[in-house]
Amino acid sequence: GDSSYLFSTKEFKVFDFAVKFRVHQNTLDDVDNVMSRIETIGVDRLMSKIDYYVLGSAGDNSATPYGILNAGYFTAYDTTLRAGEVVTANIVNVIKNGVLQARKLNRSVDTVLLNSSDAAEIEDLKDANSNTVALAGIRLDATGKLAYIYGLRVLINDKVTTNTFVLCNYAESIQFGIREDMGVRMGYDQTTDFSKKIVTIQIEARLAIGIGHAETIIYCSNIAAAATALSVV
């Protein structure tokens, strides 16, 4: 029979992202130090700014891009699936149930986005006798940090709100197209910077961003409430 391969994306628009910081002209004499700061602090700030929009709901797709939590671009976590069937459900059970939800939708998820506080809660889970537990499906990396939950790669980002998580498909849920790679501009502001010998440095990038099918993005807005819904009464 006939078959087709269709990539579903809501938008694939181009946006400019930039962050800036200011240094004294004399600082530029130490070029190595300035470049080091650009490559670390500057790039981190730029990535943080992109994360703010991509992982949030503030975008309007005009001045700023839609994020994965904009209304209509994600699937809400199903608290009725296996409701009342799990003994003393915790955050790990809630995440596992989200994987089941994706399977019921015939979708594949491979990544969970967590706030660092919720990741720490998983790492500190204990039994009734306050003993640390090694749960099935939980894997740590070589440094002892949380790495996988039931096959989902764990990405920790505090742009994700505490007590929430996002399940997604790393290759399908959101797409980035680099229209202009990261660049650096330097200049003086004519009214203040030149007389004070202050140089403004701007780091910028131009990206095309597209959100994939809503069923590949499952958002749990309240982990605690979901755990209560899953727990045996």
Side-chain angles (χ1 to χ4, degrees):
D2 294 334
S3 63
S4 64
Y5 180 84
L6 177 64
F7 180 79
S8 174
T9 181
K10 300 291 187 182
E11 296 284 350
F12 208 67
K13 298 180 70 174
V14 177
F15 295 92
D16 292 312
F17 295 91
V19 293
K20 59 176 66 72
F21 55 98
R22 304 167 76 198
V23 299
H24 194 275
Q25 180 177 313
N26 293 344
T27 305
L28 293 179
D29 293 338
D30 186 2
V31 176
D32 291 339
N33 181 56
V34 173
M35 292 305 299
S36 176
R37 288 180 175 273
I38 289 173
E39 293 172 358
T40 53
I41 299 173
V43 173
D44 284 347
R45 285 180 57 195
L46 182 61
M47 293 298 101
S48 180
K49 189 169 188 177
I50 295 171
D51 286 348
Y52 170 77
Y53 290 108
V54 171
L55 301 180
S57 60
D60 57 11
N61 221 37
S62 177
T64 55
Y66 280 144
I68 58 177
L69 299 186
N70 275 84
Y73 288 75
F74 66 89
T75 299
Y77 184 90
D78 185 359
T79 56
T80 66
L81 190 63
R82 298 194 70 219
E85 297 182 11
V86 182
V87 177
T88 317
N90 58 31
I91 182 174
V92 176
N93 301 122
V94 175
I95 293 172
K96 180 182 179 182
N97 198 61
V99 176
L100 176 61
Q101 179 180 344
R103 288 174 179 165
K104 295 292 186 181
L105 295 171
N106 290 320
R107 297 291 177 178
S108 173
V109 291
D110 57 16
T111 303
V112 56
L113 304 173
L114 283 172
N115 183 279
S116 58
S117 295
D118 296 310
E121 177 185 341
I122 295 173
E123 293 169 340
D124 287 338
L125 285 174
K126 294 179 172 58
D127 62 19
N129 296 316
S130 296
N131 295 313
T132 300
V133 295
L135 295 175
I138 302 299
R139 295 291 180 269
L140 307 180
D141 64 17
T143 66
K145 295 180 180 178
L146 185 63
Y148 290 92
I149 300 174
Y150 287 102
L152 302 174
R153 181 173 58 167
V154 176
L155 295 182
I156 298 174
N157 193 309
D158 282 347
K159 295 297 185 293
V160 178
T161 308
T162 305
N163 195 40
T164 72
F165 66 76
V166 179
L167 301 183
C168 61
N169 186 297
Y170 191 77
E172 295 183 20
S173 297
I174 188 163
Q175 290 285 310
F176 292 95
I178 299 176
R179 307 305 299 165
E180 183 177 323
D181 211 345
M182 202 170 297
V184 178
R185 296 178 188 269
M186 290 186 287
Y188 292 94
D189 181 273
Q190 63 179 352
T191 59
T192 59
D193 288 358
F194 190 77
S195 61
K196 297 178 181 179
K197 297 185 177 181
I198 300 296
V199 179
T200 298
I201 300 177
Q202 178 167 288
I203 305 172
E204 54 191 30
R206 181 173 297 159
L207 303 175
I209 299 177
I211 305 295
H213 200 289
E215 290 181 352
T216 68
I217 303 169
I218 296 177
Y219 174 54
C220 178
S221 61
N222 191 323
I223 295 172
T228 299
L230 285 178
S231 296
V232 175
V233 178

